Amino acid sequence: MLKATANRSSLTRKLLAVYVPLVCAGVLVVFAAIELRSYNRQLRTLERALAKVTELQARAFTNAVWEIDEARLGSLLRDLARTSHFHSAIVKGTKGEVLAKVGDPDDGDPDLSATERLFYETDRHSEDLGSLTVSFDRGGIRRALFERLKSDA
């Protein structure tokens, strides 16, 4: 009787030695897939927000560039810099000259950027004034991911 109990206990240990690591690995794979999916969804949302912000801000910047209103350009850039995930913005003229900027596009690695051409349009013609380039940083999304990973671990 004692031998049968010892064999059963040994068999149980052997099964647990196989199944527990497999279950843990499976849980980790599922958890990683869920976090990766969440990260990608947040990144797509940020990309859409960047495109929308750049498109909308280009309209506001067009009038300031057309009127050569440096004070208005500065004000618009300061307001834009308050946007979540903001990294930098630069307004360039038609020859590529920098008219105004906030943040440093060369500082660090802006992960996401979008450019919109600035056109002043009237009933009779459309004139190219330059471009607005806005860069966002996905570092906030990464930090949130790592914080969730730390708290879940």
Side-chain angles (χ1 to χ4, degrees):
M1 175 102 166
L2 189 58
K3 191 172 183 174
T5 305
N7 284 341
R8 228 179 309 160
S9 177
S10 176
L11 179 60
T12 303
R13 272 194 218 114
K14 288 178 182 176
L15 287 173
L16 285 176
V18 172
Y19 288 126
V20 169
L22 285 175
V23 168
C24 288
V27 168
L28 285 175
V29 167
V30 168
F31 179 69
I34 290 169
E35 287 300 325
L36 181 61
R37 189 172 176 188
S38 172
Y39 174 80
N40 287 332
R41 185 174 44 251
Q42 289 177 1
L43 186 57
R44 283 191 307 274
T45 300
L46 184 60
E47 289 168 346
R48 285 191 300 270
L50 173 62
K52 188 171 281 194
V53 163
T54 306
E55 179 185 349
L56 292 173
Q57 290 296 317
R59 295 177 190 162
F61 278 90
T62 296
N63 286 332
V65 171
W66 177 255
E67 296 168 1
I68 312 171
D69 187 347
E70 292 178 13
R72 180 76 179 137
L73 280 174
S75 174
L76 288 168
L77 286 171
R78 282 190 299 279
D79 290 344
L80 184 58
R82 293 187 192 113
T83 306
S84 173
H85 301 284
F86 179 83
H87 181 266
S88 64
I90 187 164
V91 181
K92 292 183 179 180
T94 55
K95 296 177 183 169
E97 72 279 12
V98 175
L99 301 177
K101 72 177 184 173
V102 65
D104 188 358
D106 298 326
D107 178 30
D109 182 24
D111 296 315
L112 305 168
S113 67
T115 301
E116 284 285 327
R117 298 298 305 168
L118 304 177
F119 290 102
Y120 186 79
E121 297 182 8
T122 64
D123 293 336
R124 297 181 184 197
H125 75 284
S126 176
E127 186 168 338
D128 184 9
L129 302 177
S131 65
L132 168 67
T133 301
V134 179
S135 299
F136 277 9
D137 181 12
R138 65 176 135 190
I141 297 174
R142 284 188 201 128
R143 284 188 294 279
L145 171 67
F146 290 128
E147 287 302 316
R148 277 195 315 273
L149 291 174
K150 284 182 198 174
S151 69
D152 291 344

